[in-house]
């Protein structure tokens, strides 16, 4: 029964916060831009930063970053909403999202040109598709040398980075993984166009995955059902028609990845039999992120709040650098425990924040609230006084005056 109340309280706190701070519109992020010298054009980007970054109550923290190819507004908003909802319920860490909208999708997301092939099919020789394909490496250079430095110097971005791409974007994800591995920690390739240019990148991947090592790197591969009616996953491997080349190439990539487990790449895949090329995007993104963070979560059902230190040791191992339990998350959990008289858990969480963030007025104010609730007047005065020595806040001063 306590678990149910804890869940209800989580949503109640969120609802009260929203009611107390009305906004004229739901904000999914901000628009930014980069004058790219590499691409010789101005590139728009969309950036989402978790709301806790704007709070004056908490110690500044850095957030892991998800980079989203085909990052137009609708796609960007969907991924932001998914991550925000999951992180608010302690199923994921809070994360930034950077959407990269397209200017010339075929140019940027294809690793090699296919001009001769399309001319053979009698395409218009002046078409943008034909003229500009094959700029993928320059686009990756833009990400590495202009976009990532801009994000990490302008926003509270942590060193951890994830790259998500679909179709041509998935092709770019695989090109980055194979040829620029250290750029990202986790990669998500959703129905990638591995048949591009007579499977050239697929052939390169076969060699690279057999000969290279990828310790600490993860890949999730999502595969859509793009087969013609009557075809199945067994028969399609033996099919030689052009209509099945896309899915056959992806299944071949899956088999290459599965047969090279000794390369230390952390790899998983999923075939979505009921989803076609476009309908699987958000579903696969959710599955990928949950796969990468399968170890993450604080179960309100089992009240395992004290496991948060071990959880963030695992997070640190995944990210490759030390990550403390976020002050805002621990603070919310502590007040949740206090509200339901789980005093030992509340004391542990409030004290954990004091240990990790001793220079934050908020943690001492919260500790004072705990002591006041418990009737320990002298300790409450000490904590409120410490909070005020770090920052003069009218509400804390009022509490101290009242208790004295």
């Amino acid at each position: 029964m306590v678990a149910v109340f804890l869940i209800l309280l989580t949503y109640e706190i969120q609802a009260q916060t929203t009611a107390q701070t009305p906004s004229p519109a739901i904000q999914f992020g901000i628009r930014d831009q980069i004058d790219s010298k590499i691409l010789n054009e101005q590139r728009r980007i969309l950036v989402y930063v978790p709301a806790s970054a704007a709070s004056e109550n908490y110690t500044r923290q850095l957030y892991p970053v998800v980079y989203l190819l085909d990052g137009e507004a609708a796609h960007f908003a969907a991924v932001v909403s998914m991550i925000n909802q999951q992180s608010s319920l302690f199923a994921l860490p809070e994360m930034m999202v950077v959407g990269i909208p397209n200017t010339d999708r075929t140019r940027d997301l294809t690793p090699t040109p296919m001009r001769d092939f399309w001319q053979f099919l009698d395409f218009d020789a002046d078409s943008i598709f034909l003229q500009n394909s094959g700029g993928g490496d320059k686009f990756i250079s833009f990400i590495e040398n202009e976009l990532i430095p801009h994000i990490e110097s302008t926003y509270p971005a942590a060193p951890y980075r994830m790259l998500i791409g679909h179709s041509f974007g998935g092709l770019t994800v695989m090109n980055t993984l194979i040829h620029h591995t250290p750029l990202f920690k986790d990669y998500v390739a959703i129905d990638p166009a591995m048949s591009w240019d007579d499977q050239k990148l697929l052939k390169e991947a076969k060699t690279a995955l057999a000969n290279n090592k990828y310790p600490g790197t993860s890949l999730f591969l999502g595969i859509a059902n793009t087969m013609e009616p009557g075809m199945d996953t067994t028969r399609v491997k033996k099919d030689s028609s052009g209509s099945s080349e896309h899915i056959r190439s992806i299944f071949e990539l899956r088999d290459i990845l599965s047969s090279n487990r000794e390369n230390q790449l952390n790899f998983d895949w999923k075939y979505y039999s009921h989803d076609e090329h476009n309908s699987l995007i958000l579903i696969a993104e959710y599955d990928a992120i949950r796969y990468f963070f399968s170890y993450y979560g604080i179960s309100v059902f089992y009240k395992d709040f004290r496991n948060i230190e071990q959880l963030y040791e695992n997070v640190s191992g995944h990210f490759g650098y030390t990550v403390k339990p976020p002050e805002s998350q621990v603070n919310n959990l502590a007040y949740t425990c206090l509200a339901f008289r789980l005093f030992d858990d509340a004391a542990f969480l409030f004290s954990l924040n004091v240990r990790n963030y001793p220079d934050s007025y908020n943690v001492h104010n919260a500790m004072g609230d705990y002591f006041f609730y418990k009737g320990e007047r002298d300790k409450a005065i000490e904590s409120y006084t410490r909070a005020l020595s770090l920052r003069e806040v009218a509400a804390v001063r009022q509490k101290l005056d009242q208790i004295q």
Side-chain angles (χ1 to χ4, degrees):
M1 193 65 174
V2 171
V4 176
F5 283 136
L6 290 176
I7 295 172
L8 291 174
L9 180 66
T10 300
Y11 283 104
E12 182 65 21
I13 290 173
Q14 293 171 351
Q16 290 176 358
T17 301
T18 302
Q20 293 169 1
T21 56
S23 175
I26 297 174
Q27 301 296 324
F28 284 111
I30 62 174
R31 297 183 184 276
D32 198 351
Q33 63 185 33
I34 297 176
D35 292 320
S36 173
K37 295 181 180 179
I38 294 173
L39 299 176
N40 194 31
E41 64 185 8
Q42 188 177 87
R43 294 301 298 241
R44 295 181 300 114
I45 56 173
L46 305 177
V47 182
Y48 166 76
V49 179
S52 59
S55 174
E56 296 181 354
N57 294 326
Y58 303 124
T59 304
R60 183 179 183 271
Q61 70 179 84
L62 301 180
Y63 300 91
V65 186
V66 175
Y67 288 83
L68 186 65
L69 302 177
D70 291 319
E72 314 297 339
H75 188 196
F76 173 78
V79 173
V80 166
S81 297
M82 175 183 66
I83 291 176
N84 189 30
Q85 191 268 349
Q86 288 287 287
S87 64
S88 70
L89 298 177
F90 314 120
L92 289 175
E94 290 186 301
M95 291 189 279
M96 286 179 53
V97 180
V98 176
I100 311 174
N102 297 311
T103 58
D104 187 334
R105 186 173 189 267
T106 303
R107 178 198 70 186
D108 290 341
L109 302 185
T110 55
T112 52
M114 284 183 60
R115 298 183 183 89
D116 294 341
F117 175 78
W118 293 105
Q119 286 173 339
F120 174 76
L121 293 181
D122 198 28
F123 269 65
D124 178 6
D126 294 326
S127 70
I128 294 177
F129 190 98
L130 194 152
Q131 292 294 326
N132 292 343
S133 64
D137 286 336
K138 183 177 283 190
F139 180 69
I140 294 172
S141 178
F142 156 73
I143 292 175
E144 178 178 10
N145 298 299
E146 293 181 330
L147 177 59
I148 290 175
H150 173 75
I151 293 298
E152 295 186 350
S153 63
T154 308
Y155 301 95
Y160 168 91
R161 299 185 289 267
M162 179 193 304
L163 181 64
I164 299 177
H166 164 252
S167 193
F168 276 174
L171 184 66
T172 300
V173 167
M174 292 308 304
N175 187 28
T176 309
L177 171 64
I178 297 303
H179 296 299
H180 309 274
T181 308
L183 264 184
F184 296 91
K185 187 78 170 177
D186 294 333
Y187 291 84
V188 184
I190 303 172
D191 220 39
M194 300 305 297
S195 60
W196 177 263
D197 197 6
D198 193 28
Q199 301 183 332
K200 182 175 181 180
L201 182 65
L202 181 62
K203 296 167 186 174
E204 293 174 359
K206 184 175 183 178
T207 301
L209 291 166
N211 296 324
N212 300 332
K213 300 295 184 184
Y214 302 86
T217 304
S218 300
L219 168 68
F220 181 88
L221 176 65
I223 308 173
N225 183 357
T226 55
M227 296 179 292
E228 292 185 348
M231 190 69 72
D232 59 43
T233 57
T234 301
R235 290 175 55 201
V236 76
K237 293 182 181 180
K238 301 177 182 179
D239 186 61
S240 59
S241 66
S243 63
S244 67
E245 185 179 15
H246 174 77
I247 192 169
R248 281 190 286 112
S249 299
I250 302 174
F251 277 139
E252 186 175 347
L253 173 64
R254 177 205 61 184
D255 293 342
I256 292 169
L257 288 159
S258 298
S259 63
N260 286 284
R261 295 289 185 176
E262 68 279 359
N263 65 15
Q264 301 178 41
L265 177 67
N266 184 29
F267 165 65
D268 197 13
W269 66 278
K270 185 173 181 179
Y271 170 61
Y272 297 81
S273 59
H274 298 293
D275 284 284
E276 48 84 30
H277 184 64
N278 290 325
S279 68
L280 89 160
I281 299 174
L282 189 60
I283 303 170
E285 287 166 338
Y286 173 84
D287 288 342
I289 293 174
R290 290 299 302 140
Y291 166 64
F292 296 145
F293 294 97
S294 58
Y295 63 88
Y296 194 96
I298 300 170
S299 174
V300 295
F301 288 100
Y302 299 106
K303 304 188 295 295
D304 57 351
F305 306 112
R306 298 190 185 216
N307 291 338
I308 195 168
E309 286 184 293
Q310 180 60 55
L311 169 62
Y312 273 87
E313 286 184 16
N314 295 336
V315 171
S316 299
H318 183 178
F319 287 178
Y321 55 90
T322 301
V323 183
K324 295 179 181 179
E327 180 184 349
S328 59
Q329 183 184 57
V330 174
N331 191 74
N332 290 339
L333 285 173
Y335 276 110
T336 299
C337 292
L338 185 61
F340 286 99
R341 303 177 68 82
L342 302 173
F343 294 126
D344 289 344
D345 290 318
F348 168 78
L349 291 167
F350 283 127
S351 298
L352 177 64
N353 256 356
V354 170
R355 292 199 305 273
N356 284 334
Y357 305 98
D359 296 327
S360 166
Y361 96 91
N362 172 74
V363 302
H364 299 285
N365 171 54
M367 197 79 245
D369 289 345
Y370 168 78
F371 288 131
F372 179 76
Y373 193 93
K374 288 278 290 177
E376 299 182 42
R377 178 178 177 275
D378 291 342
K379 291 183 178 179
I381 291 174
E382 182 180 350
S383 292
Y384 289 143
T385 301
R386 175 59 178 155
L388 289 169
S389 72
L390 293 167
R391 179 177 167 190
E392 183 64 35
V393 177
V396 182
R397 176 65 65 185
Q398 183 178 10
K399 287 188 287 188
L400 180 60
D401 290 343
Q402 290 176 345
I403 197 173
Q404 288 179 326

